[in-house]
Structures are given as C-alpha cells and as structure tokens.
Amino acid sequence: QKEVEQNSGPLSVPEGAIASLNCTYSDRGSQSFFWYRQYSGKSPELIMFIYSNGDKEDGRFTAQLNKASQYVSLLIRDSQPSDSATYLCAVNHRGTYKYIFGTGTRLKVLA
Amino acid sequence: DAGVTQSPTHLIKTRGQHVTLRCSPISGHKSVSWYQQVLGQGPQFIFQYYEKEERGRGNFPDRFSARQFPNYSSELNVNALLLGDSALYLCASSHGTGAPSASTDTQYFGPGTRLTVL
C-alpha cells in the first residue's frame, strides 16, 4: 500500500463545475496535509494546507480532512480552464519534517 | 520578496559525471529541503537541512549529498550519475522552526532544475 494515494486521472469537468480531488493516506499519525498545483513543466505551487478535521475554505478552494477515514480532499468551485493542472496531495510524515507526496491527479477543465 | 531560487535551470550531463545544484531559500527561511521528481510521479524527499545540520534523509544512495551554508543557501551534489537520475530536482524552503508538522514549516518550492543524464 502506498503511503499517499491519488487517482491519476485525468479528471475532466466542464467549465463552471465543481472539481473534486481525493487523497488517502496510510499513516494514522500524520498531522499536516497539503495540496499543491503543478502545471506541466513547472514546479509545485502551494494551494492550501489543513491540520484539523473538517473543512477549510480559501476562495474557490475547499480542503476537507477526515482523520478517522484517513482521507483528504480538495474541491474547486467554478472550475476554469486555467485550473487544468496536476494536483498533488502531500502529507507530513509523523514526527519528521519530510513530506510524502501522492502521484498527483491530472485535472482537465473543458471550456 | 523573492521566492525560492534555483540554479541552473537546465543541465545535461553524461553517465558517471558529477553535478552540483544550488538553492537559495525565501528570505527569513532557515530550512531547505530537496526533492527529486521523475516524470509522472510525485516529488520524492531526498534531504532536509536546518541551520546547516541535516534534519532528515530519504531513501537515496550515498551518491547524493547536500550541505547548507551560513546564509541558509544549499547545494545538492550527485556523484557517478546514472541514467535514472534524470529528473526535476526541487528545492523547498520553510521557516524550519518549531516542531515537525507545525504550521510554520509549510514548504514552498522553487522553479526546479531539470537534469538530463545521457
């Protein structure tokens, strides 16, 4: 079992729709969770982080964390073609400063 | 403020050669982490340094080494290059203070160095 798992996609959504990206992790002691966006050929760009169970909203983005189910998700409202990218989920490995990344989900927003 | 900077942008080497990659963190950040990202995969952790001390190491061979300087910039060195070392090498900057998993340790990535080994 991989430590952080994401569906590789591509996930295709029409412009204006809600895109839902999911991530599961195996280490129950993980405490910090991050979503990065990566355009092709570029480096990862931080979208948001979440530490507590529940929802955290930042503009069109909402991160959801459920530690009991070891699940974190990212919702993108009013999806735009410019949101088309790979979305990486990262988990801070318990007790260390190391981030463990999933393989990423490729999102395609269709105009 | 400038973000994380890395040099060079691109690099082409041949098998067996040595390479040095450089990184300067965000002003005020004291910690630098290095990651390797192979095409189609997520970044893999190589090292983290804080105040010139290694604070974490991933599952990479001893051919990979790094150091951090008093101005918090960092170098990643890779010896005896293999074809499989071809990847995007990412440097991430964070405050580094506080306990692991602290909010102050959020990592911000530089533009990366694309290494091609022929």
Side-chain angles (χ1 to χ4, degrees):
Chain A
Q1 181 190 9
K2 290 184 179 177
E3 293 183 85
V4 178
E5 294 206 56
Q6 296 180 257
N7 188 318
S8 60
L11 171 66
S12 295
V13 300
E15 183 175 359
I18 295 175
S20 178
L21 304 161
N22 305 315
C23 173
T24 58
Y25 59 95
S26 60
D27 183 356
R28 190 169 287 279
S30 299
Q31 296 176 285
S32 315
F33 307 87
F34 304 83
W35 283 100
Y36 288 84
R37 176 174 63 197
Q38 186 171 30
Y39 292 109
S40 182
K42 302 296 185 181
S43 64
E45 171 193 8
L46 180 70
I47 299 174
M48 61 193 305
F49 53 83
I50 187 167
Y51 299 94
S52 303
N53 274 328
D55 295 359
K56 179 182 178 183
E57 188 174 315
D58 184 359
R60 295 188 296 114
F61 299 98
T62 298
Q64 299 176 316
L65 176 60
N66 183 325
K67 290 186 178 181
S69 299
Q70 296 175 242
Y71 175 96
V72 58
S73 65
L74 180 70
L75 301 178
I76 306 174
R77 288 181 299 281
D78 188 24
S79 295
Q80 301 297 310
S82 59
D83 294 326
S84 297
T86 296
Y87 289 80
L88 295 163
C89 171
V91 174
N92 180 241
H93 196 69
R94 172 174 38 175
T96 75
Y97 296 91
K98 165 178 150 178
Y99 284 18
I100 300 174
F101 283 83
T103 55
T105 297
R106 191 157 63 96
L107 173 67
K108 297 175 77 171
V109 180
L110 307 173
Chain B
D1 280 345
V4 182
T5 60
Q6 291 187 244
S7 63
T9 306
H10 295 86
L11 204 50
I12 299 175
K13 293 285 189 179
T14 56
R15 283 177 296 174
Q17 285 190 311
H18 162 272
V19 68
T20 297
L21 310 180
R22 295 178 175 83
C23 170
S24 291
I26 293 168
S27 178
H29 284 191
K30 298 182 177 181
S31 181
V32 168
S33 301
W34 287 96
Y35 292 82
Q36 179 197 65
Q37 187 176 24
V38 175
L39 195 62
Q41 300 295 316
Q44 298 290 313
F45 175 78
I46 309 175
F47 289 109
Q48 189 185 80
Y49 276 78
Y50 172 70
E51 294 281 13
K52 299 186 291 180
E53 297 292 324
E54 182 184 299
R55 203 159 63 172
R57 173 186 284 256
N59 292 326
F60 280 81
D62 292 345
R63 300 184 295 107
F64 289 78
S65 63
R67 56 179 175 167
Q68 186 178 31
F69 300 99
N71 66 353
Y72 306 112
S73 67
S74 178
E75 284 182 354
L76 175 70
N77 294 285
V78 187
N79 292 323
L81 285 167
L82 303 174
L83 296 179
D85 294 332
S86 294
L88 179 66
Y89 287 85
L90 296 161
C91 172
S93 162
S94 60
H95 284 285
T97 55
S101 305
S103 59
T104 53
D105 209 59
T106 300
Q107 297 183 12
Y108 299 90
F109 286 90
T113 294
R114 174 77 59 188
L115 172 65
T116 302
V117 182
L118 301 176

